[in-house]
Amino acid sequence: MDNQPLSEEQMQQFWQDGYLLLEDVVTAKQLADLRVDFEQWRQESRQHGEPYGETFDHRPRFDLEPGHCAESPALRRVASPVEISDAYLDVMRTNRAVDAVTQLIGPNLVFNNAKINSKQPQSATKVQFHQDFLFQPHTNDDLIAVLLCLDDMTLENGPLEVAPGSHRGPLYDHWHHGVFTGAVSADVVDAHKPQMVTLEVPAGSACLLHNRTLHGSGPNTSAEARTLFICEYRSGDAQPLQVSHLPSLIEGEILRGEASIRVRCTSYEMLYPEVPSGASFFDQQANDPAPAL
């Protein structure tokens, strides 16, 4: 493989911590193009009072935060933007992080899903602590999400919090009292709190996140937006065991290497997740019967 952006030390750090920060993932033009398209969608959202648009599985593509209005638009999720934007499709396929992920779980790399999560200024939306793998069982856990910052991620605008090394620990239940909450219990969060790391990441850079790493984020208390373009990739031998919670018309596209009929299985146990019926998993997390974290 010619393009190897990660040093041996960086690769070891990823496997030790379950995450890695990578600077300058996209070009200035790519970043500008992503911002232009998102701003167009944000302006368009002023015309709507509830989730709107449609993905090919007939769920809303654009999710709005409670309290959204024309005067204060709060577009918080765009599902599979790669289907409606050439800029997002280009970046999903072509950026330094794709080559970095290939180093970690390649040589055959497959597109899994993509979304935008945005916290507008003074946004109340927070992400309860969870592990991505609990939303999408596969035959093995070689799945990595690339969280690309369209804005600077600061301590005030709802930054990502991660529990280093948690990807090497257990898979925690995301079902509570018979409800799929998309979140771990408060006890699990409390146990990891002493080790939690809060990430500050400049725009154009990204966090590579292992699918089992425990993470979450708080509300945006600042006057600046915090928008992430999140692309998830999987190893060519990690086959899905359930319908995707975020399906895409181009799910399964081979980005690096070649198609493989090999399936690799690892040992783990988990409850099947509930596939969301609404615009995003925020609705599931809102049903968490546990105290707010």
Side-chain angles (χ1 to χ4, degrees):
M1 184 167 54
D2 296 330
N3 299 320
Q4 294 189 319
L6 299 183
S7 66
E8 190 65 33
E9 182 180 9
Q10 286 175 307
M11 294 176 67
Q12 291 176 0
Q13 182 180 351
F14 175 84
W15 290 116
Q16 174 181 308
D17 296 336
Y19 74 95
L20 181 72
L21 300 184
L22 190 62
E23 297 182 351
D24 300 323
V25 166
V26 292
T27 66
K29 184 180 186 307
Q30 284 179 313
L31 181 60
D33 290 344
L34 296 180
R35 286 171 165 170
V36 166
D37 280 4
F38 182 77
E39 180 58 21
Q40 289 178 343
W41 294 326
R42 192 180 76 89
Q43 294 299 329
E44 178 186 68
S45 74
R46 294 178 186 271
Q47 305 170 29
H48 299 271
E50 58 186 20
Y52 65 98
E54 188 175 11
T55 59
F56 84 93
D57 67 338
H58 308 299
R59 284 190 288 157
R61 187 182 299 278
F62 300 95
D63 189 25
L64 307 174
E65 181 182 324
H68 163 90
C69 62
E71 295 74 24
S72 181
L75 177 62
R76 67 178 178 182
R77 162 68 65 88
V78 181
S80 201
V82 295
E83 294 178 346
I84 57 174
S85 164
D86 289 341
Y88 281 86
L89 181 60
D90 170 66
V91 169
M92 183 280 286
R93 291 170 171 165
T94 310
N95 66 74
R96 290 183 66 235
V98 179
D99 295 318
V101 172
T102 305
Q103 280 185 263
L104 293 166
I105 60 173
N108 302 319
L109 195 71
V110 175
F111 169 70
N112 210 36
N113 58 61
K115 58 184 176 283
I116 299 171
N117 281 355
S118 182
K119 295 181 183 180
Q120 293 300 302
Q122 302 300 318
S123 166
T125 291
K126 58 184 177 181
V127 178
Q128 306 281 12
F129 283 91
H130 64 284
Q131 295 166 295
D132 289 344
F133 195 66
L134 272 295
F135 289 83
Q136 48 188 9
H138 282 66
T139 57
N140 66 70
D141 60 12
D142 272 352
L143 293 89
I144 295 176
V146 174
L147 288 68
L148 170 63
C149 292
L150 272 61
D151 312 296
D152 291 340
M153 185 188 293
T154 69
L155 296 179
E156 293 76 32
N157 66 3
L160 184 69
E161 297 180 69
V162 299
S166 54
H167 66 300
R168 293 182 277 111
L171 293 170
Y172 296 104
D173 284 342
H174 286 42
W175 286 85
H176 303 287
H177 308 297
V179 177
F180 183 72
T181 67
V184 300
S185 69
D187 289 344
V188 171
V189 178
D190 289 342
H192 286 86
K193 271 295 185 184
Q195 293 79 40
M196 287 285 186
V197 175
T198 302
L199 303 181
E200 294 182 88
V201 185
S205 297
C207 174
L208 277 58
L209 189 70
H210 191 280
N211 212 237
R212 292 174 62 133
T213 301
L214 184 65
H215 64 287
S217 62
N220 182 355
T221 61
S222 78
E224 304 297 331
R226 192 231 68 177
T227 304
L228 298 176
F229 176 35
I230 304 174
C231 293
E232 187 173 70
Y233 307 94
R234 68 178 189 248
S235 171
D237 60 10
Q239 299 298 329
L241 297 175
Q242 188 185 38
V243 63
S244 175
H245 69 295
L246 193 63
S248 169
L249 289 168
I250 58 173
E251 178 186 349
E253 179 177 305
I254 301 164
L255 300 173
R256 301 290 187 274
E258 58 187 24
S260 172
I261 60 173
R262 181 174 297 278
V263 177
R264 178 166 52 89
C265 300
T266 57
S267 178
Y268 68 88
E269 290 187 24
M270 63 179 284
L271 295 173
Y272 257 171
E274 179 182 66
V275 178
S277 58
S280 72
F281 87 138
F282 290 115
D283 292 334
Q284 292 172 315
Q285 290 206 333
N287 291 329
D288 191 346
L293 304 178

